[in-house]
Amino acid sequence: MRPLRFAIIGAGMAGILSAIKLAEAGFTDFTIYEKGDRFGGTWRENTYPGLSCDVPSQLYCYSFAPNPEWSHVFSPGQEIRTYFEVVAREFGIEKSTRFDDEVVSCEFSDGKWHLETHKGHRDEVDVVIAATGVLHQPKFPDIDGIDTFEGACFHSARWDHSVNLGGARVGIIGTGSTAVQITSALVERVAHLSLFQRTAQWIMPQQNPEFTEEQKEQFRAHPEQLEQMHDSLSILFGGFAKAVIDAQSSEIQMIEDACRTNLEENVHDPVLRERLRPDYRAACKRLIISPDFYDAIQQPNADLVTSGIERMESGGVRTEDGVLHELDVLVLATGFKVDAFMRPMTVVGRDGLTLNEEWAERPNAYLSISIPDFPNFFMLNGPNGPVGNFSLIDVAEQQFAYIMQLIDLLRSGENREVSATHVAMDTFEAERVGAARKTIWTTGCSSWYLDDRGVPAVWPFPFDRFRSEMASPQLESYDVR
Ligand code: NAP
């Protein structure tokens, strides 16, 4: 057996998972590098009011660490962050983590990855696991005069908790999952709420009941029930995956019907109803799940603003119809740079090839995991993977089990370098693009799923195919040296 040293980049869900699984496989020589000051990844960065997960709690947790204590069917963000911290502590991951130490460069030479952090710390490892997340780098809107605004202005993923919202006039730009959650949470706390909508969204109504003390007691006494719930929810979500990849499926029709009924029955003013009605099919954009958004936007202190934003002024937002929407606080719920992945970190693979060169057109990787000529560098939740309305934990667990089989090739001592071949990546990508063009995501809307060609940059096959691909690597798809 050859001893291997690992760097895991990121101490969010996927980084914690990687450390636990490496330790379980008998590896002890690994470090997690984390730019933040605590565990939790996206759940550390997003702390906005109303933050919760729209994947059910029993699925949005590690299969090996079921949690009987979830308060709700869909967990609040704070609880999820605490869950990751508790799991990391229980599995002894803290001692292997360097917080506040961002990896700025990662270069492959002489069979090793050479890392450098912003503090100047250097490391030399055999394998890099990039667990850097997907929706990670905030996207700021390019609005004239944004710097002239005299109130507080921040991105939803950089919530400024020092700002007092009680009695404030608050504007929110965006109508994605984030803006919808913030709207529902804030409307009763603020004096006035203006929601700046560029594109209307379909809303799937979904209640979020609390688990009773009796239910939690039952879960504590019978942890196997949690496992069963995890597995059956995973199958249920596989069914959702089938619906979105076939724009003609009866399942997608049912989702559309539920969203339309929600709009017809729960928005009472016919004018407002039409302003909230999307002109594209449900689930074309990432489906939004909310039990109370329509209720919130119909409150007397809430305004849906559909005139385009012209500019910002010291007192608020001026829209194209000439109206000045006076604000004390403006929240930019404008999403993320979805093609960044581990960048801005510099990554240099074999023979000086940089990641920016390799991804000059757009990010790509064989099965989202491995990039040709970047040996022993593996990504969790990398490009074109199953994101959106899935449990990314379920996804990452399967990906890591696959990566572990590649690591075993190195561990055996027979091989020093493993990365996907160009042929395997290109063949897979051609098939993926063909399938992606048939999905609901291409039926006439813009969304963060779409790449520069308008092709959804996500997994377009049934989830079962993902499972079977992840079961074991096809070694002919790898350049093993
Ligand atoms: P998003 O879905 O990308 O939405 C961004 C919103 O900002 C869109 O409504 C967009 O309008 C608007 N926008 C962007 N730039 C604008 C501009 N210059 N002027 C006006 N409007 C502008 O971002 P997100 O809501 O943060 O959600 C991102 C993803 O995070 C979700 O799709 C989901 O996968 C994940 N998420 C999950 C949960 C959960 O519960 N699991 C919760 C929150 C987020 P257009 O639609 O017109 O482009």
Side-chain angles (χ1 to χ4, degrees), residues 187-392:
V187 73
E188 285 185 358
R189 284 172 57 188
V190 301
H192 191 269
L193 187 146
S194 305
L195 181 64
F196 295 91
Q197 168 183 288
R198 187 163 70 181
T199 312
Q201 291 270 15
W202 288 111
I203 311 283
M204 183 78 174
Q206 176 73 58
Q207 297 305 317
N208 186 14
E210 278 185 57
F211 286 118
T212 62
E213 215 23 69
E214 292 73 45
Q215 282 173 305
K216 290 187 206 171
E217 196 45 58
Q218 181 81 359
F219 294 150
R220 283 177 209 124
H222 300 283
E224 71 282 1
Q225 286 188 359
L226 292 171
E227 272 173 49
Q228 283 159 10
M229 286 171 85
H230 180 279
D231 294 347
S232 51
L233 284 164
S234 179
I235 291 166
L236 190 79
F237 269 64
F240 178 78
K242 277 206 182 93
V244 287
I245 59 169
D246 176 3
Q248 309 310 324
S249 66
S250 56
E251 291 89 348
I252 205 74
Q253 197 58 55
M254 280 164 59
I255 290 170
E256 284 187 275
D257 291 347
C259 292
R260 193 171 300 108
T261 305
N262 188 26
L263 178 67
E264 305 296 351
E265 292 185 352
N266 294 317
V267 181
H268 309 300
D269 171 3
V271 176
L272 180 64
R273 194 186 306 137
E274 292 319 305
R275 293 168 68 214
L276 285 167
R277 188 187 300 277
D279 60 1
Y280 56 87
R281 295 183 58 187
C284 180
K285 278 175 178 287
R286 203 262 192 186
L287 193 63
I288 294 187
I289 291 171
S290 171
D292 49 13
F293 170 69
Y294 286 150
D295 191 35
I297 200 66
Q298 291 175 92
Q299 293 303 307
N301 64 333
D303 262 338
L304 180 76
V305 182
T306 50
S307 181
I309 295 172
E310 189 176 287
R311 62 175 184 274
M312 289 199 60
E313 300 178 6
S314 58
V317 170
R318 177 84 61 185
T319 44
E320 285 161 1
D321 55 6
V323 175
L324 175 68
H325 303 267
E326 291 185 58
L327 301 173
D328 304 303
V329 181
L330 181 64
V331 179
L332 309 172
T334 45
F336 299 87
K337 294 177 195 159
V338 294
D339 59 355
F341 293 95
M342 59 285 230
R343 295 178 289 184
M345 179 171 89
T346 302
V347 188
V348 184
R350 201 178 264 147
D351 303 327
L353 177 69
T354 68
L355 188 69
N356 284 344
E357 286 164 349
E358 175 64 23
W359 284 0
E361 275 192 334
R362 64 193 69 85
N364 196 7
Y366 176 59
L367 294 175
S368 310
I369 284 177
S370 173
I371 309 167
D373 290 322
F374 289 75
N376 311 346
F377 186 102
F378 306 115
M379 285 176 286
L380 290 162
N381 289 308
N384 309 321
V387 296
N389 301 99
F390 299 107
S391 168
L392 286 189

